[in-house]
């Protein structure tokens, strides 16, 4: 492996022992890298420095609109590229890295980015589904075990986790995040960053994570992707920013700016929030990368006259890396020559990129992430499939189970699976499925035959996922008539959620709702299995279906995991990370709403309500049933808490059913009177516990004043004295509650 002599001399003088774990580089690490970075920087021409800020897409998937094509191999040779994305496979990654290291003047290695959102070759549940597990340990393990070990054969930067809070199910990318709540979203963001990055980016099973899309991308008006975002500073700081702050506090290596404008300023040129808040207030010193072409898109937003203007704004916002925008490469030199952008601004951006390349160990071994032999071992290993099946099981939510319809007996003789998703494989892996392939996924029919091999399984599609034809209804009903039990497999295709895949009507698409009603009219034991990337309006389904299992898009092992739940090999424990509306007309509808001055009172006219529907959603945040049941008793909350104390709360949870089961014990608070109105409930703690039948566990939580704090009228982060209510339960609606008073000894 040849590398330019200059770089070799720098590397040789770099003793790896200087390098400490890098999650939060300590002074020694920064110092060691700073010396080497300064040495390297002193050798770089302005063109080569600007080249480090340029990120181009390679020969793999195209994940955005291609505006300008470029011979990236030639550009790499000329020192005009600092990183690539979407480069296919370890072998090609090696080839491209070789050009950078052996054919460019300084031989600076490239960073390779890729979207490993929910698995690389073995696909896991979509992130919204994984979040329904509320199992932080499992989430971290998945990110570490499967994503890193698999994709790091070609990837140094995983464009994940997506941490955008989303409260509008019309938005297709709601599938990619952790739902509606800032606390749950923050905890999951931390778990995912830990899983990807570990404690040392140079280790063999870690890669750089990327918290995206900064910021408030999930609040796109009307749920239409890339649409305008406009909101109060308070809502931004209380709802949309916390998961990003959590990721930064967890040491995330990179942040991606979002496509949207925020209150009139495109985020990729938003100096106030990227430079001032992220960099200076939060002390984020990692790499900020634009989203695909989002620097150049400032022109389309009407916020920049041309790419040069856009480049100036993005650099002033301290965006380091231009993903496929072709703005930095072609215009920064002129901006520096004209004194519009300083040489120091360029140097700071280059230093942040070089520092990560050092932390990744790329200067030691630029080919460490192009492991062709190891890539060949990523063949859907049994271990990864087993982890994927376990993750899928945990993601599922039992939404309804009248008369204990579920679990079905394994002794059932004939099973009818009816619905357009019953035999689908490719839809199980959703979008953002990296190197995953539908052919490797287990369909629902296959999973059922694996779990109950002696049963006779009849299948009929009944209808397509889209369209108005009911021509196959009768055939489906005839088949269902022959069966002992009916399983309806309905929902959305994979390409009905994800980027640029928003929907105006979020009921079951096509004629599926009508199909379910016809099947229900047979009065047979029936379960509806939902396949979807967003909350759906299933109110009509819920009126007729005895049982409903939310399976999301559960990945390569979907069919097996669903069958495990349907036939009792796994007791479902998932809880909704996002509200399921009663109707689209309620949207946005979420649990942490305000009380208003006229909360709804039944049969009272002048209250906040609809005359054609309820205020309450169909299923609330945090909701999910089990094959067993749990009771909550003996909620103990001290009557008062001082400003210096920790409030110790306990509650007894009993498994009152016949099944061992897991329960997510959730703790919410309400600050009843404050200088600004507070949500009726806000999630502050949760614990997932396993209880054997008949057993009781006393679950304890500790609250500090920081858990009670918010930005007051003067924008000070304070916990105001006064009365609070603690709510504890298995969802955000049915809870025990106790009041307490926060008193400050030295304040009234
Ligand atoms: C896409 C997405 C972003 C992704 C990037 C690279 O447009 O918005 O989430 O990481 O481009 O594929």
């Amino acid at each position: 492996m040849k590398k330019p002599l200059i770089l070799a001399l720098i590397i040789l003088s770099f003793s790896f022992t200087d390098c400490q774990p890098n999650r939060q580089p300590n002074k020694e690490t920064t110092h060691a890298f700073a010396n080497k970075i300064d040495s390297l920087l002193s050798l770089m021409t302005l063109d080569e420095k600007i080249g480090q800020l340029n990120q181009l897409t390679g020969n793999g998937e195209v994940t955005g609109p291609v505006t300008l094509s470029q011979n990236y191999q030639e550009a790499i040779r000329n020192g005009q590229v600092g990183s690539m994305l979407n480069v296919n496979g370890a072998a090609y990654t090696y080839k491209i890295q070789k050009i950078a290291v052996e054919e460019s003047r300084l031989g600076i290695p490239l960073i390779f980015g890729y979207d490993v959102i929910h698995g690389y070759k073995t696909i896991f549940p979509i992130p919204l589904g994984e979040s329904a597990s509320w199992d932080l340990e499992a989430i971290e393990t998945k990110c570490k075990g499967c994503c890193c070990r698999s994709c790091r054969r070609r990837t140094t930067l995983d464009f994940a986790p997506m941490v955008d809070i989303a409260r509008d199910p019309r938005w297709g990318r709601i599938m990619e995040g952790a739902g509606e709540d800032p606390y749950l979203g923050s905890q999951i963001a931390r778990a995912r960053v830990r899983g990807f990055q570990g404690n040392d980016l140079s280790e063999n099973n870690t890669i750089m994570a990327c918290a995206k899309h900064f910021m408030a991308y999930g609040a796109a008006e009307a749920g239409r992707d890339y649409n305008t975002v406009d909101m109060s500073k308070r809502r931004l700081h209380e709802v949309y920013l916390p998961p990003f702050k959590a990721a930064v506090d967890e040491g995330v290596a990179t942040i991606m700016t979002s496509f949207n404008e925020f209150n009139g300023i495109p985020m990729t040129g938003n100096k106030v929030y990227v430079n001032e808040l992220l960099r200076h207030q939060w002390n984020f010193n990692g790499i900020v990368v634009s989203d695909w072409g989002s620097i150049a898109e400032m022109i389309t937003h009407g916020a920049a006259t041309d790419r040069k203007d856009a480049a100036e704004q993005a650099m002033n916002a301290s965006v380091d890396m231009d993903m496929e925008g072709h703005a930095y490469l072609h215009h920064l030199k002129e901006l520096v020559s004209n004194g519009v952008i300083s040489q120091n601004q360029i140097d700071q951006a280059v230093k942040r990129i070089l520092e990560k390349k050092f932390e990744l160990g790329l200067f030691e071994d630029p080919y460490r992430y192009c492991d062709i032999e190891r890539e060949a071992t990523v063949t859907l290993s049994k271990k990864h499939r087993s982890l994927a099946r376990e993750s899928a099981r945990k993601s599922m939510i039992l939404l309804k189970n009248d008369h204990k319809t579920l679990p079905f007996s394994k002794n059932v003789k004939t099973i009818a699976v009816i619905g357009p998703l019953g035999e689908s494989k490719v839809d199980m892996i959703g979008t953002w499925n990296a190197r995953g392939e539908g052919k490797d996924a287990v369909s629902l029919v296959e999973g059922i035959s694996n779990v109950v091999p002696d049963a006779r399984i009849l299948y009929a599609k009944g209808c397509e996922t889209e369209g108005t034809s009911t021509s196959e209804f009768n055939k489906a009903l005839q088949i269902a008539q022959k069966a002992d039990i009916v399983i309806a497999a309905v929902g959305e295709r994979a390409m009905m959620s994800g980027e640029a895949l928003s929907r105006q009507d979020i009921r079951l698409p096509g004629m599926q709702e009508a199909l379910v009603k016809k099947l229900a009219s047979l009065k047979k034991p029936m379960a509806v299995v939902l396949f979807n990337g967003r909350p759906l309006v299933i109110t009509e389904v819920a009126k007729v279906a005895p049982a409903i299992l939310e399976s999301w898009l559960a990945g390569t092992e979907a069919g097996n995991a669903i069958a495990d739940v349907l036939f009792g090999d796994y007791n479902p424990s998932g809880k909704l990370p996002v509200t399921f509306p009663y109707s689209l007309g309620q949207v946005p509808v979420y649990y942490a709403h305000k009380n208003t001055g006229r909360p709804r009172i039944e049969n009272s006219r002048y209250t906040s309500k609809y005359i054609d529907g309820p205020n309450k959603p169909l299923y609330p945040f945090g909701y999910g049933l089990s094959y067993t049941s749990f009771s909550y008793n003996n909620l103990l909350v001290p009557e008062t808490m001082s400003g210096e104390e920790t409030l110790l709360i306990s509650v007894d949870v009993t498994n009152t059913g016949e099944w061992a089961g897991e329960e997510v014990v959730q703790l919410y608070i309400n600050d009843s009177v404050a200088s600004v109105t507070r949500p009726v409930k806000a999630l502050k703690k949760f614990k997932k516990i396993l209880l054997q039948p008949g057993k009781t566990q006393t679950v304890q939580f500790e609250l500090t004043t920081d858990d009670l704090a918010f930005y007051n009228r003067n924008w000070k982060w304070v916990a105001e004295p006064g009365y609070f209510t603690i709510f504890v339960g298995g969802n955000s609606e049915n809870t025990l509650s106790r009041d307490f008073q926060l008193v400050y000894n030295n304040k009234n």
Side-chain angles (χ1 to χ4, degrees):
M1 170 188 70
K2 281 187 317 175
K3 77 174 69 163
L5 178 60
I6 304 169
L7 190 60
L9 291 174
I10 290 172
I11 299 306
L12 285 175
S13 68
F14 170 70
S15 66
F16 224 66
T17 51
D18 293 346
C19 171
Q20 301 290 325
N22 71 292
R23 190 193 310 175
Q24 288 291 4
N26 61 29
K27 290 288 169 274
E28 293 69 36
T29 305
T30 309
H31 173 67
F33 290 151
N35 285 345
K36 309 312 162 206
I37 291 165
D38 287 344
S39 308
L40 184 48
L41 209 62
S42 66
L43 300 172
M44 296 170 77
T45 65
L46 178 57
D47 286 321
E48 288 166 332
K49 290 177 182 177
I50 292 169
Q52 286 298 305
L53 313 186
N54 186 29
Q55 182 182 70
L56 297 181
T57 192
N59 66 331
E61 301 87 325
V62 177
T63 52
V66 176
T67 52
L68 290 175
S69 61
Q70 183 159 6
N71 177 338
Y72 54 79
Q73 295 193 18
E74 198 50 36
I76 292 168
R77 245 175 231 107
N78 298 333
Q80 295 177 320
V81 184
S83 93
M84 295 288 296
L85 74 149
N86 300 340
V87 171
N88 231 337
Y92 195 69
T93 303
Y94 182 92
K95 178 185 173 188
I96 296 296
Q97 188 71 300
K98 198 164 185 292
I99 295 173
V101 170
E102 299 184 13
E103 299 178 34
S104 71
R105 186 177 78 90
L106 286 175
I108 299 173
L110 299 168
I111 284 171
F112 290 89
Y114 194 47
D115 295 282
V116 185
I117 307 300
H118 54 113
Y120 176 70
K121 183 72 179 171
T122 307
I123 303 302
F124 287 70
I126 55 173
L128 187 63
E130 181 186 62
S131 301
S133 70
W134 295 50
D135 187 333
L136 301 179
E137 191 179 330
I139 289 168
E140 182 174 344
T141 303
K142 183 274 296 197
C143 290
K144 179 171 188 164
C146 291
C147 293
C148 290
R149 288 213 179 85
S150 308
C151 72
R152 69 181 309 283
R153 292 156 181 74
R154 51 168 283 185
T155 302
T156 27
L157 165 57
D158 186 359
F159 294 124
M162 186 273 226
V163 301
D164 299 302
I165 294 294
R167 295 178 164 179
D168 192 326
R170 293 171 291 184
W171 190 50
R173 299 195 80 164
I174 196 169
M175 52 72 65
E176 210 174 326
E180 73 182 55
D181 184 70
Y183 179 77
L184 178 62
S186 298
Q187 300 309 308
I188 291 176
R190 286 178 174 272
R192 286 174 171 157
V193 168
R194 284 194 303 270
F196 289 131
Q197 294 189 173
N199 286 313
D200 181 348
L201 287 178
S202 66
E203 276 183 2
N204 205 16
N205 62 350
T206 62
I207 47 176
M208 287 200 293
C210 178
K212 69 184 187 181
H213 308 77
F214 191 77
M215 64 186 192
Y217 179 36
E221 268 182 12
R224 197 174 82 235
D225 207 355
Y226 316 126
N227 202 7
T228 305
V229 173
D230 201 311
M231 69 176 70
S232 70
K233 178 180 174 185
R234 178 168 301 283
R235 171 160 291 177
L236 172 70
H237 282 266
E238 291 188 350
V239 177
Y240 293 90
L241 282 179
F244 286 99
K245 182 66 167 57
V248 169
D249 291 347
E250 198 61 43
V252 72
T254 71
I255 295 248
M256 184 185 293
T257 57
S258 55
F259 291 117
N260 57 283
E261 67 166 65
F262 180 80
N263 295 0
I265 300 173
M267 274 314 303
T268 307
N270 200 316
K271 188 175 177 182
V272 170
Y273 287 101
V274 180
N275 195 39
E276 291 167 25
L277 177 71
L278 185 60
R279 293 250 190 249
H280 292 101
Q281 292 180 36
W282 292 1
N283 296 318
F284 175 70
N285 198 33
I287 298 172
V288 174
V289 57
S290 79
D291 203 338
W292 181 293
S294 64
I295 292 180
E297 286 180 9
M298 282 193 259
I299 304 164
T300 317
H301 272 288
T305 48
D306 52 25
R307 271 191 164 83
K308 184 170 74 170
D309 183 7
E312 177 187 348
Q313 292 186 48
M315 185 50 67
N316 283 330
S318 80
V319 173
D320 301 313
M321 210 177 259
D322 175 4
M323 181 197 292
E324 271 296 328
H326 306 282
Y328 279 3
L329 187 65
H330 301 299
H331 299 287
L332 276 182
K333 186 168 186 178
E334 182 189 352
L335 290 166
V336 172
S337 309
N338 297 342
V340 175
I341 293 293
S342 71
Q343 180 72 58
N344 181 53
Q345 282 177 277
I346 302 291
D347 288 353
Q348 292 310 311
V350 176
K351 284 184 176 182
R352 288 189 284 263
I353 291 171
L354 293 180
E355 181 168 57
K356 290 304 173 208
K357 294 186 175 183
F358 271 109
E359 287 175 16
L360 287 161
L362 285 174
F363 286 100
E364 279 298 289
D365 173 8
Y367 302 106
R368 63 190 326 162
Y369 294 93
C370 321
D371 191 328
I372 300 166
E373 289 73 40
R374 284 188 64 198
E375 184 178 49
T377 67
V378 182
T379 54
L380 291 156
S381 63
K382 276 191 178 167
K383 182 184 174 195
H384 284 184
R385 275 192 176 271
S386 168
L387 271 172
R389 186 168 181 167
E390 187 59 18
S391 177
R393 285 166 150 196
K394 288 173 178 270
S395 71
M396 290 179 200
I397 303 173
L398 184 60
L399 295 175
K400 187 179 180 186
N401 195 24
D402 286 359
H403 325 303
K404 296 191 175 180
T405 300
L406 289 176
F408 291 132
S409 162
K410 287 191 174 182
N411 300 322
V412 66
K413 293 285 180 286
T414 305
I415 302 166
V417 178
I418 311 290
L421 290 155
E423 287 191 330
S424 173
K425 296 158 80 73
V426 71
D427 294 307
M428 301 300 106
I429 61 176
T431 53
W432 293 120
N433 45 48
R435 311 307 303 153
E437 295 181 79
K439 68 177 179 61
D440 299 319
V442 179
S443 71
L444 177 56
V445 167
E446 289 168 338
I448 293 170
S449 63
N450 292 337
V451 170
V452 278
D454 300 333
R456 182 164 73 112
I457 300 170
L458 309 173
Y459 174 70
K461 186 178 277 191
C463 64
E464 299 300 332
T465 48
E466 294 170 282
T468 56
S469 169
T470 59
S471 59
E472 294 185 46
F473 272 25
N474 288 337
K475 177 184 167 190
L477 291 167
Q478 286 162 10
I479 283 175
Q481 279 289 22
K482 297 173 187 170
D484 302 308
I485 62 170
V486 178
I487 296 168
V490 292
E492 297 178 322
R493 289 253 175 253
M495 291 307 288
M496 290 181 174
S497 63
E499 183 173 356
L501 296 169
S502 297
R503 290 181 64 205
Q504 289 187 9
D505 180 347
I506 56 172
R507 290 173 298 174
L508 286 174
M511 300 307 290
Q512 298 180 86
E513 191 175 281
L515 176 64
V516 168
K517 288 179 176 175
K518 289 285 186 187
L519 292 170
S521 67
L522 302 177
K523 298 301 180 193
K524 286 184 176 279
M526 179 175 108
V528 171
V529 179
L530 293 175
F531 300 86
N532 45 300
R534 58 164 54 80
L536 296 176
V537 171
I538 53 167
T539 306
E540 293 305 309
V541 170
K543 286 176 183 171
V544 299
I548 303 173
L549 179 67
E550 174 57 78
S551 81
W552 307 106
L553 300 174
T556 304
E557 285 290 313
N560 286 333
I562 297 167
D564 291 339
V565 174
L566 290 176
F567 292 92
D569 286 344
Y570 182 80
N571 181 5
S573 61
K575 299 283 186 178
L576 284 176
V578 64
T579 300
F580 267 49
Y582 180 88
S583 71
L584 183 58
Q586 290 181 326
V587 170
V589 57
Y590 47 90
Y591 86 91
H593 60 81
K594 298 298 187 70
N595 203 35
T596 78
R598 293 191 172 183
R600 176 170 193 146
I601 301 167
E602 291 310 321
N603 308 318
S604 170
R605 177 171 172 192
Y606 297 106
T607 61
S608 179
K609 66 180 180 305
Y610 305 94
I611 60 171
D612 56 353
N615 289 17
K616 283 189 182 298
L618 181 65
Y619 299 117
F621 174 83
Y623 171 83
L625 301 175
S626 169
Y627 291 150
T628 190
S629 50
F630 299 97
S631 69
Y632 286 72
N633 298 290
N634 200 23
L635 173 61
L636 301 180
V637 178
E639 287 182 4
T640 59
M641 170 189 185
S642 77
E644 297 69 43
E645 277 177 322
T646 297
L647 192 71
L648 186 58
I649 297 140
S650 69
V651 64
D652 294 342
V653 184
T654 303
N655 180 339
T656 52
E658 294 110 45
W659 287 74
E662 292 179 284
E663 171 72 332
V664 179
V665 184
Q666 301 156 44
L667 183 147
Y668 301 84
I669 70 161
N670 167 252
D671 185 345
S672 53
V673 178
S675 59
V676 289
T677 58
R678 309 304 303 137
V680 295
K681 282 192 183 110
L683 180 71
K684 292 299 176 185
K685 300 288 178 190
F686 63 87
K687 281 183 184 174
K688 187 162 192 175
I689 63 171
L690 171 65
L691 275 178
Q692 297 302 319
K695 295 299 182 190
T696 295
Q697 181 175 333
T698 298
V699 179
Q700 292 186 326
F701 297 102
E702 291 188 356
L703 285 183
T704 66
T705 49
D706 196 51
D707 294 314
L708 310 177
F710 62 96
Y711 289 104
N712 68 7
R713 277 193 191 184
N714 304 318
W715 207 253
K716 296 282 181 261
W717 181 257
V718 294
E720 295 178 349
Y723 287 94
F724 292 78
T725 302
I726 296 278
F727 303 90
V728 176
N731 63 66
S732 59
E733 264 182 19
N734 310 320
T735 58
L736 298 179
S737 62
R738 290 286 184 283
D739 294 345
F740 74 92
Q741 185 182 10
L742 173 62
V743 288
Y744 288 105
N745 301 328
N746 55 354
K747 293 178 188 171
N748 56 28

